[in-house]
Amino acid sequence: MKLVTIAAFALATASSLVNGYAIKGDVVNCRSGPGTSYSVKRTYKKGQNVSITCQQAGTSVNGNNIWDKTSDGCYVADHYVYTGVNGY
């Protein structure tokens, strides 16, 4: 029984460490709204994982008008986030 409990804890811990979607650009701006005209609130580096709370249409970046709202409360152009899909 202890082995099963330890294994379950290890699995839960490992899955919580791999939470979010990787940033594809070298340095990506996270803005106050879904578009390039909004102010930059912070930046993310390539490979950094971000959690997405919702998606919204905004300024088109390289033909993609989807913007991802992060758990930090700012927006990143979906073009720069590896979500695995090119739509909502």
Side-chain angles (χ1 to χ4, degrees):
M1 181 66 177
K2 287 183 182 180
L3 182 59
V4 172
T5 303
I6 292 169
F9 176 75
L11 181 60
T13 302
S15 64
S16 68
L17 295 176
V18 187
N19 201 0
Y21 299 94
I23 295 292
K24 295 190 292 188
D26 289 331
V27 178
V28 176
N29 293 327
C30 197
R31 298 179 176 273
S32 60
T36 55
S37 63
Y38 290 90
S39 62
V40 176
K41 295 297 186 184
R42 65 169 297 160
T43 58
Y44 296 115
K45 294 180 181 177
K46 186 174 188 172
Q48 188 173 352
N49 284 339
V50 294
S51 295
I52 297 172
T53 60
C54 70
Q55 294 180 309
Q56 185 175 339
T59 305
S60 181
V61 175
N62 291 327
N64 183 345
N65 73 336
I66 299 172
W67 285 72
D68 303 324
K69 186 173 184 181
T70 71
S71 59
D72 294 321
C74 53
Y75 293 80
V76 176
D78 189 67
H79 173 76
Y80 298 112
V81 182
Y82 184 72
T83 58
V85 295
N86 289 329
Y88 293 100

